[in-house]
Amino acid sequence: MVTTPHEPPAHPAPPVYVIGGGPGGLAVAAALRGRGVRAVVLEKSDAVGASWRTHYDRLRLHTTRRLSGLPGLKIPRSFGRWVARADVVRYLEKYAEKHELEVVTGVEVFGVERSGAEWVLHATGGRRLVGGAVVVATGFNHTPSLPEWPGLDAYEGEVSHARAYRDPEPYAGKDVLVVGAGNTGAEIAADLAGGGAKRVRLAVRTVPHIVRRTTCGWPAQRTGI
């Protein structure tokens, strides 16, 4: 029997499950859908782009708008050259809508195991999902990691991870040490310094390579590429 586009196959192939509704997961799902493969995105939070929703308010992409979009949808020009965190979230929502992605929220996957030619996912609520393939796109920004510094238990001050930082208001008038001079650490330090902190110091283990974001309007990113 020949299956036509108007007739569902007698034994439809199981979908590809994409674990994670961030930029990577959405892009993979869109690419699969474009090839006619059913992809189901499983997101444990209540919306796509969960990690981006909880990043600090000042955050802007350090890559230009034109080079930061996902396949199949440009970031709107109205978002500016350096896209703000809130606009990244809006873009991810538009991306899922534009590509009509099948996103299931509130589902966390606890285990994946092979079963013959298929994969079995064990998820929230005792769900047992069977897929033809699994793409793990959980990223690395959702789980903070604090170093186990000697003497940390006896320290009486406040210690928090950048993941918990939103704005400088709680640190007004305080002496703050920011550990790490990557994009996040440097930007948070600048935010604190301009937001009322009494003193802001930056601790760096390895001397970083600091490059101007733009020179005479030319993005450093394009020179690197």
Side-chain angles (χ1 to χ4, degrees):
M1 176 180 178
V2 177
T3 301
T4 69
H6 303 289
E7 297 177 337
H11 301 286
V16 173
Y17 282 106
V18 180
I19 306 174
L26 297 180
V28 168
L32 289 170
R33 192 176 189 283
R35 293 296 185 95
V37 178
R38 183 190 174 199
V40 179
V41 179
L42 303 177
E43 169 56 47
K44 69 177 182 179
S45 71
D46 59 358
V48 299
S51 292
W52 283 94
R53 295 174 186 275
T54 56
H55 284 322
Y56 52 96
D57 296 338
R58 176 193 172 105
L59 186 150
R60 287 183 177 272
L61 293 183
H62 295 87
T63 53
T64 63
R65 180 191 73 254
R66 290 186 177 182
L67 298 178
S68 300
L70 301 179
L73 182 65
K74 294 181 179 180
I75 296 178
R77 185 183 181 88
S78 60
F79 286 1
R81 172 179 274 188
W82 311 104
V83 184
R85 177 197 63 81
D87 287 332
V88 171
V89 173
R90 290 170 56 197
Y91 170 72
L92 294 177
E93 292 173 340
K94 289 179 180 293
Y95 190 85
E97 180 181 352
K98 163 75 175 179
H99 293 285
E100 299 180 338
L101 301 183
E102 189 173 347
V103 180
V104 182
T105 59
V107 176
E108 183 174 3
V109 177
F110 301 106
V112 178
E113 60 184 5
R114 190 82 185 229
S115 178
E118 299 173 331
W119 294 87
V120 177
L121 293 78
H122 301 280
T124 304
R127 291 180 176 86
R128 185 179 183 277
L129 308 172
V130 178
V134 177
V135 177
V136 179
T138 53
F140 57 88
N141 284 328
H142 54 77
T143 305
S145 176
L146 279 173
E148 296 181 358
W149 291 304
L152 184 61
D153 293 340
Y155 178 65
E156 297 181 355
E158 176 187 351
V159 178
S160 62
H161 191 275
R163 187 76 170 79
Y165 180 85
R166 291 307 296 263
D167 60 68
E169 183 178 355
Y171 304 91
K174 295 183 179 181
D175 190 345
V176 184
L177 172 67
V178 178
V179 181
N183 290 340
T184 298
E187 192 165 42
I188 288 178
D191 198 28
L192 289 165
K198 180 180 179 181
R199 180 171 62 168
V200 180
R201 289 175 287 179
L202 197 60
V204 183
R205 180 175 59 183
T206 304
V207 179
H209 295 286
I210 299 177
V211 181
R212 292 177 61 90
R213 188 168 68 173
T214 60
T215 301
C216 298
W218 182 259
Q221 181 189 12
R222 287 191 175 275
T223 301
I225 293 175

